[in-house]
Amino acid sequence: MARSGTPGEGTRPRVRHAGQLGWDDGLYEEGSESSTDSGTGEQRAASGESGHRRSGSKRRGKKGKRRVLRWSASVLALLIVGGAGAGYLYYEHLNGNLKKADLTLGDKKMADHKANAAGQTPLNILLIGSDARDSKENQKLGGAKDTFGAPPLADVQMLLHVSADRSNMSVISMPRDTMLKIPKCTDPKTKHVYQATTGLEMTNETLGRGGPGCSVATWYELTGITIDHFMMIDFSGVVSMADAIGGVPVCVKSNVYSRNSAGKGSGLKLEKGTTKIKGQQALQWLRTRYGFEDGTDLGRTHAQHMYMNSMVRELRKGTKLTDPGKLTDLAEAATDALTVDKSIETVKKLYDLAEELKKVPTKRITMTTMPNVYGTGTLKERVLPKPGDADQLFQMVRDDVPLDGKASKRKAPAAAKKPTASPAEIPVTVRNGTRTDTDYPVKGRASTVKELLAGKGFTQAAVDAQNTEAEKRTGILFPTVDMEGNAQSVAKALGIPLSAVKKSTDVSGITLTVGADWREDGDYHASSAEEKTPDSARALNGDDETACMDIQPGFSW
C-alpha cells in the first residue's frame, strides 16, 4: 500500500485483477488501473428452518415473529461494517432472499471448540465486505465500469470473537493489503480446484477462489481459530442500514475531502468535528483511504472500527426501526445483499445468533487490527503479519483471553478427564507437520516424538509418514468423546497444553501433529498467551466516544 507522496503513485505493478477498484476508491470512479500496479493508494481498498408460530393465539405468534425480525435488523448492524438487517415482512420470503454458501472450501477441517468448565464455547464469525459489482445498484455505488462482472474481492475482512461466557467481544481486522499464502480451495458450484498458492498473494483474492468459504479457510490456516459462521455484505447493504438507523456519528479532527490531484478517492467531504452520516456518505467513510491518517489501508481500517463502535452505541441507545415502510425496504435490501453460511440460513437462526451477541456490553467490545509490518522489495507497499505480535493476538483469541485488558470472567477450563486406558494401551498416530513457508520439514521429527512417547509408556505410538501437512502449532486431535481423556493423557505426558487437544472428525484415532513450533529436539514448550493486547493492534474500545480521525496532510479544505 502506498504512503502519501510516494513517487510514482498509481504506476506500480499490481498483484490483482486489472481495473478492479475497491472499497476506498471513488464512489463514481469509472477509470481502470494498470494490471501491474502493486499497491498504491489509488488501487482497490480493503477498504432453520422457516419460522413457526408459537402456540397460542395468532396475534401472539405474529408479535413474536415481529420481535424476532426486528431484533435481527439490529444485530446485523452490529455484525457487519455498515451492515444491513432483516425487517418484518414476509418471513418466508425473506428467508428465500438470503444467499447461502459453504462455510469452508479448504481441505483442512476445522477442529471443534474446547469447552470451558461450564460447557460454554466461544463464537467466531468472519465478516466480509465484498466489492462485487453484480447489480445495477452496486455498479452505481462502486463505479469502475471495466470491473463489472469481474470476480469479487474480499476487501473488508473482520473476525468477530465472542467469549465463551459472552462477557466480552473482540474484533480483528485483516488489512486487505496483507500478503499471505492461500490454501487449496474447491469451488462448490463449478468444482474447479484452486491449488494452494506457492507464493504470497493478496488476502482479498480469496473470495474469487470459490467464494467466502475460501476466505474462511485462509483465516483458519493463518490463525488456527475455529470459525463458526461467515456473513458477507455488499455496497448496497451498507447504504441500506446506514439509512435505516438514521445515521451514525463520526468525527474528524479537521475538514477533509477525499480526492487527490489525480481525481482518486472516495469523495468524502466533512467539516471538522462530529457529523451524523448515512447512505452513500456512510459508504464513502468506510471506503476512504486518501485523507485519513497516512493514506494507507491501515488508516481506513481504523476509521471502520470507529464507525462500527459508533453504530453499535447508536443502536443500544434506543434507536428503533419502528417505521413499517423503512423496515420493509431494509428487509428486502438486506436479505438481497447478504450471503451467509448454510448453518444460519434463516432469519430465525440469525435471531438466535443475535440473542448470544447482545449479551456482550458495549464497554467490553474491542476493535483491533492484525499487527503488521511493511514488506520489502516488490512487497514494500504491502503488509505482512508482524512476527510475534500477530501470533500473540491470534493466540489470545484462540485461548479466549479478553483483548480489553480487563480481568476475565471466563469460567476456568474444564479439568482434565480421566483416561480410560493405561499409556501402553493407547494407540497414538504421530505426524510431522514442521514444514513452514520458508523451511523444509525437519527430518525425523515424528519418529523422535514417537520415541519420546514410548519412553513415557505409550508403546503403541506409530508414525504416519503419508500425512505431513504443515501445521503452525503442535496439536492433538481425537474423533470421539470417549477418547478425550486418553488424548489428554498424551498431551500431559509431553507438556502440550490441554487447549491444544480438540475433537475432530478429520481423524480416526488419537493423532498428534508435531507443528512448526516444535522443530527442535527436547521437551515441548508451549508459550501461553500474554494477558495484554499488543500495542501494534491499535485496540479501540466500544465505549470510546472521543475517537476522532486524524486527517492526512493535503486533504483538508
Side-chain angles (χ1 to χ4, degrees):
M1 68 184 73
R3 303 170 189 266
S4 174
T6 303
E9 233 171 47
T11 62
R12 296 186 181 86
R14 298 178 57 127
V15 189
R16 359 182 3 274
H17 305 295
Q20 293 180 336
L21 301 181
W23 279 60
D24 66 331
D25 296 303
L27 288 173
Y28 305 105
E29 288 182 77
E30 298 178 355
S32 65
E33 298 176 6
S34 165
S35 63
T36 59
D37 179 18
S38 77
T40 74
E42 285 100 20
Q43 62 183 96
R44 339 187 356 69
S47 326
E49 68 233 16
S50 296
H52 299 288
R53 296 186 182 276
R54 303 175 187 174
S55 59
S57 70
K58 291 183 178 179
R59 191 173 188 178
R60 287 200 306 273
K62 187 173 182 179
K63 285 182 65 178
K65 187 171 288 186
R66 187 188 303 273
R67 181 172 65 88
V68 169
L69 290 161
R70 192 162 287 172
W71 173 245
S72 294
S74 297
V75 71
L76 291 179
L78 182 153
L79 279 174
I80 300 168
V81 182
Y88 174 70
L89 181 71
Y90 306 133
Y91 184 77
E92 287 75 13
H93 165 68
L94 295 182
N95 287 339
N97 276 356
L98 284 169
K99 294 180 284 294
K100 303 95 178 175
D102 292 342
L103 175 62
T104 178
L105 302 180
D107 287 348
K108 189 178 295 184
K109 293 183 181 178
M110 290 185 285
D112 291 350
H113 287 297
K114 184 69 178 177
N116 62 20
Q120 301 165 315
T121 56
L123 179 64
N124 298 314
I125 306 168
L126 185 62
L127 313 178
I128 303 171
S130 165
D131 77 342
R133 292 164 175 82
D134 53 0
S135 68
K136 289 184 178 179
E137 183 65 17
N138 283 329
Q139 290 169 355
K140 176 184 176 182
L141 294 168
K145 288 183 178 179
D146 54 343
T147 70
F148 293 180
L153 297 167
D155 274 348
V156 176
Q157 297 180 51
M158 298 184 178
L159 182 67
L160 186 153
H161 168 82
V162 187
S163 64
D165 67 355
R166 307 301 187 252
S167 69
N168 63 90
M169 181 187 298
S170 305
V171 176
I172 301 177
S173 286
M174 184 185 295
R176 69 105 204 190
D177 284 340
T178 301
M179 303 297 292
L180 41 72
K181 287 191 174 181
I182 303 175
K184 177 181 176 181
C185 293
T186 302
D187 189 315
K189 295 180 179 178
T190 66
K191 306 305 178 185
H192 177 76
V193 176
Y194 294 87
Q195 296 298 333
T197 62
T198 55
L200 301 178
E201 300 290 343
M202 287 262 287
T203 182
N204 64 354
E205 297 283 350
T206 57
L207 193 57
R209 295 167 63 89
C214 193
S215 301
V216 170
T218 303
W219 271 82
Y220 183 62
E221 183 84 7
L222 176 68
T223 68
I225 298 170
T226 296
I227 298 173
D228 303 282
H229 305 293
F230 73 75
M231 291 184 172
M232 184 169 69
I233 200 75
D234 58 15
F235 295 143
S236 60
V238 172
V239 173
S240 298
M241 177 51 82
D243 283 340
I245 65 178
V248 174
V250 295
C251 176
V252 290
K253 292 184 179 179
S254 60
N255 295 348
V256 63
Y257 179 47
S258 179
R259 188 73 73 194
N260 66 8
S261 58
K264 302 292 185 177
S266 72
L268 178 72
K269 191 172 185 178
L270 292 177
E271 293 184 353
K272 176 182 177 180
T274 299
T275 304
K276 210 167 196 179
I277 59 174
K278 60 182 181 178
Q280 294 178 359
Q281 198 172 38
L283 181 59
Q284 287 176 322
W285 174 277
L286 294 167
R287 299 178 74 193
T288 292
R289 179 176 195 155
Y290 284 115
F292 285 162
E293 298 186 345
D294 63 355
T296 69
D297 184 48
L298 304 178
R300 178 184 45 249
T301 298
H302 199 214
Q304 290 170 351
H305 292 167
M306 290 183 186
Y307 182 93
M308 287 185 70
N309 279 342
S310 182
M311 179 175 61
V312 173
R313 290 195 299 268
E314 285 297 295
L315 288 168
R316 294 195 177 185
K317 281 177 182 176
T319 302
K320 302 294 182 183
L321 300 173
T322 55
D323 184 321
K326 287 184 178 180
L327 276 173
T328 297
D329 293 342
L330 173 62
E332 293 292 340
T335 52
D336 278 343
L338 193 64
T339 301
V340 299
D341 69 275
K342 293 176 181 177
S343 65
I344 50 171
E345 60 185 358
T346 67
V347 176
K348 170 61 170 59
K349 290 181 179 179
L350 291 175
Y351 168 73
D352 291 340
L353 184 62
E355 288 294 289
E356 295 300 304
L357 294 167
K358 73 177 185 179
K359 296 175 183 177
V360 180
T362 310
K363 64 182 179 181
R364 297 301 309 278
I365 297 174
T366 306
M367 302 279 177
T368 65
T369 301
M370 179 196 75
N372 56 82
V373 293
Y374 283 100
T376 58
T378 59
L379 300 180
K380 66 180 180 180
E381 307 300 342
R382 304 296 188 188
V383 298
L384 304 169
K386 184 176 182 179
D389 283 7
D391 293 335
Q392 180 179 331
L393 191 68
F394 298 152
Q395 187 172 345
M396 290 178 73
V397 171
R398 288 197 305 272
D399 292 349
D400 203 19
V401 177
L403 296 187
D404 57 10
K406 297 181 180 179
S408 174
K409 297 179 181 179
R410 293 171 290 135
K411 299 288 190 302
K417 294 189 176 182
K418 292 183 179 180
T420 59
S422 67
E425 299 173 312
I426 300 176
V428 183
T429 298
V430 185
R431 296 175 176 173
N432 184 352
T434 57
R435 176 170 55 83
T436 71
D437 290 344
T438 56
D439 299 303
Y440 289 110
V442 178
K443 188 175 181 180
R445 283 301 293 146
S447 296
T448 299
V449 173
K450 171 200 164 186
E451 293 305 318
L452 282 176
L453 283 170
K456 296 177 183 296
F458 293 88
T459 54
Q460 291 195 46
V463 172
D464 180 3
Q466 302 303 311
N467 292 280
T468 57
E469 189 172 359
E471 290 286 356
K472 291 183 174 65
R473 294 157 291 275
T474 297
I476 299 175
L477 301 180
F478 60 93
T480 58
V481 175
D482 61 299
M483 292 187 185
E484 184 172 7
N486 294 345
Q488 289 179 342
S489 70
V490 174
K492 287 193 291 184
L494 296 174
I496 297 171
L498 296 186
S499 60
V501 181
K502 297 183 178 182
K503 180 176 174 290
S504 173
T505 55
D506 200 25
V507 295
S508 58
I510 296 173
T511 302
L512 163 63
T513 300
V514 185
D517 58 349
W518 197 11
R519 287 174 59 88
E520 297 181 359
D521 290 342
D523 294 334
Y524 179 75
H525 296 286
S527 58
S528 299
E530 296 181 31
E531 298 270 337
K532 181 182 183 302
T533 301
D535 292 339
S536 55
R538 301 191 69 182
L540 182 66
N541 184 267
D543 258 5
D544 186 356
E545 298 188 34
T546 66
C548 199
M549 283 301 296
D550 288 313
I551 302 307
Q552 184 182 8
F555 287 86
S556 192
W557 55 277

